[in-house]
Amino acid sequence: MSYSDDNFAKELILDHYQDPRGKGIPKEGYETVTLKNVSCGDIISVGAKKDNEIIEDIRHEGTGCSICCASASMMCELLKGKSTTEALKSAHEFSKMMTRQKFDPEILGDAYALEGINKLLPRIKCATLAWNAAKQLLGEQGDQCDE
Ligand code: ZN
């Protein structure tokens, strides 16, 4: 089984949707960015707790479709413990995957399971929402989002 296997990818997305990693943001000590994807109705907040350049913790909350929630869970799992530089690199690889450019699957962990979404135009925004919020938390403007 591999990430490029359709069923494996679907199961992994379902697993992150049903058992989200890093769900719930504590009120204290977290910097938060909230983004909306109007076309689908997704609203996701991402909260990060940074110690110097290290992401000590990164969490999410909100409501969204399965793709949006699974992607947020995968993102939190992947970026936790990384330096902001490493985390931004991961976020850039994810953007490349979603825009069908050459990317490195090794960097993306479970998020590689979302590759197939890049062919489903209306769902791309669902998949990238949490990553855009993370990019903003890391000091970078996310991709254009309909607000
Ligand atoms: Zn959605």
Side-chain angles (χ1 to χ4, degrees):
M1 297 297 261
S2 76
Y3 285 109
S4 54
D5 181 291
D6 238 22
N7 285 324
F8 180 74
K10 274 184 197 139
E11 271 173 37
L12 202 58
I13 292 167
L14 192 65
D15 182 59
H16 275 271
Y17 176 60
Q18 290 176 334
D19 178 23
R21 282 51 143 191
K23 177 112 187 182
I25 306 170
K27 285 192 170 50
E28 300 286 319
Y30 284 73
E31 196 188 327
T32 305
V33 167
T34 302
L35 292 180
K36 289 179 203 162
N37 171 19
V38 176
S39 56
C40 180
D42 307 313
I43 305 172
I44 284 281
S45 298
V46 175
K49 190 179 174 190
K50 285 185 273 183
D51 183 18
N52 290 317
E53 291 302 300
I54 300 296
I55 301 168
E56 229 171 54
D57 196 15
I58 180 160
R59 308 183 63 83
H60 71 280
E61 62 187 23
T63 51
C65 64
S66 56
I67 299 298
C68 176
C69 294
S71 184
S73 168
M74 289 164 172
M75 184 275 294
C76 288
E77 186 174 69
L78 187 69
L79 302 193
K80 187 177 171 177
K82 280 189 164 44
S83 69
T84 51
T85 313
E86 281 176 316
L88 273 174
K89 183 165 171 46
S90 303
H92 288 151
E93 290 301 315
F94 188 80
S95 297
K96 283 190 212 166
M97 179 171 81
M98 281 299 141
T99 51
R100 304 172 78 168
Q101 299 173 60
K102 212 170 180 313
F103 68 99
D104 181 2
E106 295 284 317
I107 292 178
L108 290 176
D110 284 359
Y112 182 30
L114 293 167
E115 187 189 14
I117 306 301
N118 71 12
K119 298 182 199 77
L120 310 171
L121 209 54
R123 311 314 296 278
I124 291 176
K125 278 181 185 156
C126 304
T128 51
L129 197 62
W131 295 80
N132 284 337
K135 276 187 192 168
Q136 288 188 22
L137 284 171
L138 297 169
E140 193 171 293
Q141 208 54 41
D143 302 337
Q144 203 57 42
C145 198
D146 62 309
E147 179 74 48

